[in-house]
Amino acid sequence: MGRARAMRGVAMSILGMALSIAVTTRAEAKDGGFDWPENPFAYTLSDDLFVSADEARFEKASRVFVETMGGIPQELASILTYPISDPMTFGTYALGIGALTLADTETTTLYQKTILPLGKKVNLPKPIKGWFFTADGQYIAGALAGTYAYGIAANDERAQVAALLATKAALYSYFTSHVVLKAAFGRLRPVSDLTGPVDPKGVFSKDPFDFFKGNGVRFASHPYGTAMPSFHFTLYFSTARVYSGVYDNYLIPYGVAALLAVNSAEGHNHWVSDMVAGALIGTGIGNMVLKNYENRKRGVSSMVVPIVSSRGAGVGWQVSF
């Protein structure tokens, strides 16, 4: 009981720091006022980026591949430096995740009683049984491959761009959530029924404050100490954000993401805050991929630059037109 109280105290301290960062940064930028970050689901690519050109099929495919797959070093740097390059947005979302963590026992219990039963009714067949990818991973990979194949066959630039940018977003999701953040947080996953007994093996937990229990970086899926953030929710939302941003359509991408999330709900054992964190990270990754692609198309380049002075150290953006 004393440990739980101590962890709650630590969580409240982190929440206070996150709120302080968010309010202070926004106050400096907005003459003392505070407003929320821009709508993270609103960004779409302009239609003028997909002007039909008289290009042969594979000539266009080669050009699109170069344009979409460029900028990887800068994008990885953007991901790694995000907390200090945009502290207001980071602080705001960290505050929200921290608040959800405080309420995880109640919200996750409700999730287990209401959403998990739906997952048992939605049972999509696994395309290739016994393969490395889970069923939802295979469906996403199939959708990306199908979109790209259609784009090549129909000489459709928008379809090619959607598939390639979504592939980048999926790989960034794996690197960010599965490889880096799961190892950093080392959070235990919840038992399948928080109203039931504890896990005698200690792999799953009833305490939402069981952090820093992981065993380092894992490249394959493992149940112990890998709860936060949810990689699958990062994957769902990063790819859905790219498709919705390319096609200016929310219903289909997020409808498919919701279907896959419900279908795989039973086997993932996540706290609600894990899933929300994954969704926010995925949305941020998708937006970054979209914006960087448009900047490259319009001849705008940027890079992360370290800044060191007598007043402190940090990073800044260098933009060239």
Side-chain angles (χ1 to χ4, degrees):
M1 196 71 176
R3 176 178 174 275
R5 287 178 179 174
M7 289 302 295
R8 287 179 189 272
V10 171
M12 291 302 294
S13 298
I14 295 173
L15 287 179
M17 291 173 62
L19 180 60
S20 176
I21 291 172
V23 173
T24 301
T25 306
R26 178 52 66 179
E28 293 175 352
K30 294 292 184 179
D31 298 323
F34 175 79
D35 59 3
W36 294 101
E38 61 182 292
N39 181 357
F41 302 101
Y43 184 79
T44 57
L45 295 181
S46 302
D47 289 336
D48 65 349
L49 295 175
F50 305 103
V51 175
S52 179
D54 186 18
E55 295 175 285
R57 178 176 288 104
F58 292 105
E59 179 184 1
K60 176 181 287 187
S62 298
R63 173 180 60 79
V64 170
F65 185 87
V66 172
E67 291 173 346
T68 54
M69 302 308 285
I72 291 177
Q74 292 82 0
E75 289 171 349
L76 288 173
S78 297
I79 292 172
L80 293 172
T81 60
Y82 176 72
I84 52 179
S85 64
D86 190 358
M88 187 280 295
T89 304
F90 173 75
T92 301
Y93 291 151
L95 176 68
I97 297 302
L100 282 173
T101 301
L102 293 174
D104 255 335
T105 298
E106 294 76 18
T107 57
T108 305
T109 299
L110 180 63
Y111 171 83
Q112 291 177 341
K113 291 181 177 180
T114 57
I115 304 300
L116 290 188
L118 294 178
K120 295 178 181 179
K121 298 178 181 179
V122 180
N123 190 19
L124 299 176
K126 191 170 183 178
I128 304 177
K129 294 183 178 180
W131 205 36
F132 176 76
F133 289 140
T134 58
D136 47 359
Q138 291 184 50
Y139 279 112
I140 290 176
L144 300 184
T147 304
Y148 189 65
Y150 166 77
I152 296 293
N155 205 19
D156 186 324
E157 181 169 344
R158 191 183 296 266
Q160 294 177 43
V161 168
L164 291 172
L165 291 183
T167 298
K168 286 178 76 176
L171 294 173
Y172 292 152
S173 297
Y174 173 78
F175 168 75
T176 305
S177 284
H178 187 84
V179 176
V180 176
L181 293 180
K182 283 182 182 292
F185 286 113
R187 190 186 195 187
L188 296 189
R189 295 172 184 259
V191 294
S192 58
D193 182 5
L194 286 171
T195 63
V198 299
D199 177 19
K201 296 182 180 180
V203 175
F204 302 95
S205 175
K206 297 183 70 174
D207 182 358
F209 299 103
D210 264 333
F211 284 90
F212 313 117
K213 299 291 184 69
N215 292 323
V217 173
R218 294 181 181 275
F219 295 99
S221 180
H222 193 278
Y224 184 77
T226 56
M228 178 176 274
S230 167
F231 162 60
H232 285 89
F233 270 73
T234 308
L235 177 65
Y236 301 150
F237 276 78
S238 67
T239 52
R241 181 76 277 273
V242 168
Y243 270 86
S244 66
V246 172
Y247 285 102
D248 195 15
N249 179 297
Y250 296 89
L251 181 61
I252 295 176
Y254 287 103
V256 171
L259 178 63
L260 292 176
V262 172
N263 174 69
S264 60
E266 187 178 6
H268 286 169
N269 292 94
H270 278 295
W271 302 95
V272 167
S273 62
D274 301 334
M275 294 180 278
V276 174
L280 290 174
I281 294 167
T283 301
I285 288 173
N287 280 327
M288 178 211 51
V289 168
L290 289 168
K291 291 179 179 179
N292 285 355
Y293 169 73
E294 180 161 9
N295 287 340
R296 288 194 301 274
K297 286 281 287 184
R298 298 194 186 284
V300 180
S301 63
S302 64
M303 63 183 296
V304 178
V305 180
I307 299 174
V308 180
S309 71
S310 59
R311 299 177 61 184
V315 296
W317 289 102
Q318 178 175 304
V319 181
S320 59
F321 300 86

